[in-house]
Structures are given as structure tokens and as C-alpha cells.
Amino acid sequence: MTTLSGITSRRPFTLLGILLALIVMAAFVLVALNASNTNGTPTQAVVVAAQDLQARVPIAADALRTQSIPVPGAYPKVYFQALRDVVGMVPLVAIPAGSAITANEVAKPNQALGAQSEYLPIPAGYVAFTIPTSELQGVANNIQADDYISVIATVSGTGRVADKTIFTNLHVIRVGTPASAANSGANSLTVVVTQCQAEILNWFMTYASLKYTLESFHDYLKDSTQAPDPGCPSINSARGVTLQAVETAYPTLFSA
């Protein structure tokens, strides 16, 4: 026969069992609700990096892919849905592979941070060099980025005047902005040369006058894999320019 004291002594264990059962049931309910909410989260296909993207290097098509990701309501980030919207854009920061690309991480070339938002297209072994220009000097301001030009130097002194084409096929990669609003023409051209050529150009800019001709687009030497010049393979190959060296390289300008 169960006594009243025995029933009283077992009551705490009964209550504990009921409490544990309620906790387990609540856990199952929470898991079920969480699964339901997860399955109900909307997704959208966005552009992600298919490989690590380096800052300041324009994005190629094969470096991108699309992937569906969950997008909670009122999500603050702005994504891209089409690959074409990102191809050619410039990362402002390094973007790891697999990361969704957001609008604040990329910019169009020459926007946001200006020309510094991307690396200049300079082949290995070459440098960018800026030369002055004007309407009469630079083919009436018809020279544009990605054109190729030739450079004519005029040297005068001791009663002699001579002209000589000193460079051809110089690739123009940037055209400078006007000096003022009233001047609609560019005031500079940035070209790709070797460091040795840069020294020669600098010499002629100091001691002679320069004029440019715009080459026919049929003659352009567009080669994105331009090999280093064997005569000046790196910037360390430049050894300086003297009058004697220029006279030897361009005897027509200095012959009697």
C-alpha cells in the first residue's frame, strides 16, 4: 500500500520529467520553425568571383560566374545579376573567389577613383611616359587613347636646322585633360616606351621641339603580349643619355 509520504517523495521526479518533456517538445518546435523560415527565404542569382580578383585589374568574363544566394528582405548590399554588368569593371579591393560581387567593391574604368582605379595597360619591361601636345603639335587634337603615333624631332643650332622621325608606333594609352574650360583640346599624351626611350624623349623635350603624326589604324601594332625590347629589357637597362649618344643615334640631325 502506497503511503502519502511515498507519493510526496516521488512528486519532484514527476514534475522534473514533465519539465524535460516540455523542453524537448519546445526544441523540436523551434527546429521545425527555423527550417520553415529557411526554406521560405527568397534567393536570387547574383554574380560571384570564379577566382581571386586582384584590385585595380579589370575583370575578365572567365573570372565570373552566377550563383543563387539567400537574400533576406531589406538586405543592404547591392548585387549584380548579369555577367555583362561586371565584365570590364575594376575591383577597388581584392575579392576572394566565391564571393558575391557588390556595387561598392567595383567601379567602371576611369570612374570613382579616376585613372588610379585601374592599372595602366603597360606591358612588362615598358613604362608610361607623358609628352606635351597641342592642336598644331598633336594632329589637331585627333589623337585618342589606343592610337599609335610617330614622333618628329626638330633640332636647331649653330646655323643648322634638321628634322628627324625619332620614334614610330608609340602606343597612346591616355589623353590628358584640357588645361582650362576654354581650351577644348588635350594638353598631354601618355605613351608606352622603354625606359631607354623615355630618356631619349626627355632629352629631345629639353633641347629640341617635337611634333607628332597619327598613324593609320591599318598600320597599328596592337599586341597585348608585347615582349620586352631586347635592347632595353627592363627599367634597369637605362644608362642615361648624353649629347654624344644622341648624335651617334641620330646623325642626320647633327651632320654638317
Side-chain angles (χ1 to χ4, degrees):
M1 179 177 179
T2 304
T3 63
L4 182 60
S5 61
I7 295 175
T8 303
S9 63
R10 289 196 299 270
R11 183 175 296 174
F13 295 101
T14 302
L15 296 176
L16 180 60
I18 295 173
L19 180 60
L20 290 175
L22 290 175
I23 292 174
V24 171
M25 292 176 62
F28 276 114
V29 171
L30 289 175
V31 170
L33 290 175
N34 184 63
S36 176
N37 291 335
T38 300
N39 293 334
T41 300
T43 63
Q44 67 174 349
V46 300
V47 178
V48 302
Q51 61 190 49
D52 291 341
L53 302 180
Q54 183 179 346
R56 298 181 61 192
V57 177
I59 302 173
D62 59 1
L64 302 170
R65 60 183 174 85
T66 57
Q67 177 180 314
S68 293
I69 63 172
V71 182
Y75 204 68
K77 294 185 178 180
V78 179
Y79 296 104
F80 297 92
Q81 280 72 51
L83 296 179
R84 64 178 178 273
D85 294 334
V86 185
V87 172
M89 298 277 274
V90 180
L92 304 178
V93 295
I95 302 176
S99 300
I101 299 174
T102 58
N104 64 331
E105 294 177 323
V106 294
K108 293 181 179 180
N110 301 323
Q111 291 186 358
L113 299 181
Q116 297 304 312
S117 63
E118 63 175 316
Y119 287 114
L120 290 176
I122 307 172
Y126 291 79
V127 298
F129 187 83
T130 300
I131 54 181
T133 191
S134 63
E135 182 179 9
L136 294 178
Q137 187 179 19
V139 198
N141 294 316
N142 283 302
I143 300 174
Q144 302 296 322
D146 215 28
D147 281 340
Y148 285 75
I149 63 171
S150 296
V151 180
I152 301 173
T154 300
V155 175
S156 60
T158 63
R160 298 192 305 271
V161 178
D163 290 332
K164 172 69 177 178
T165 298
I166 58 173
F167 291 116
T168 60
N169 301 318
L170 294 188
H171 186 196
V172 179
I173 57 176
R174 288 288 187 274
V175 176
T177 56
S180 64
N183 179 14
S184 60
N187 58 10
S188 68
L189 304 172
T190 300
V191 296
V192 172
V193 293
T194 67
Q195 187 68 16
C196 304
Q197 291 173 325
E199 290 183 339
I200 295 173
L201 273 172
N202 192 61
W203 190 94
F204 277 107
M205 286 170 55
T206 305
Y207 299 106
S209 61
L210 302 179
K211 206 163 189 177
Y212 319 122
T213 57
L214 177 59
E215 299 175 7
S216 167
F217 70 93
H218 296 292
D219 299 325
Y220 285 179
L221 299 179
K222 292 188 176 181
D223 184 1
S224 59
T225 59
Q226 186 175 2
D229 184 345
C232 190
S234 73
I235 59 174
N236 295 322
S237 302
R239 294 291 182 267
V241 175
T242 63
L243 174 59
Q244 182 179 3
V246 174
E247 288 177 339
T248 301
Y250 304 98
T252 303
L253 289 172
F254 302 94
S255 59

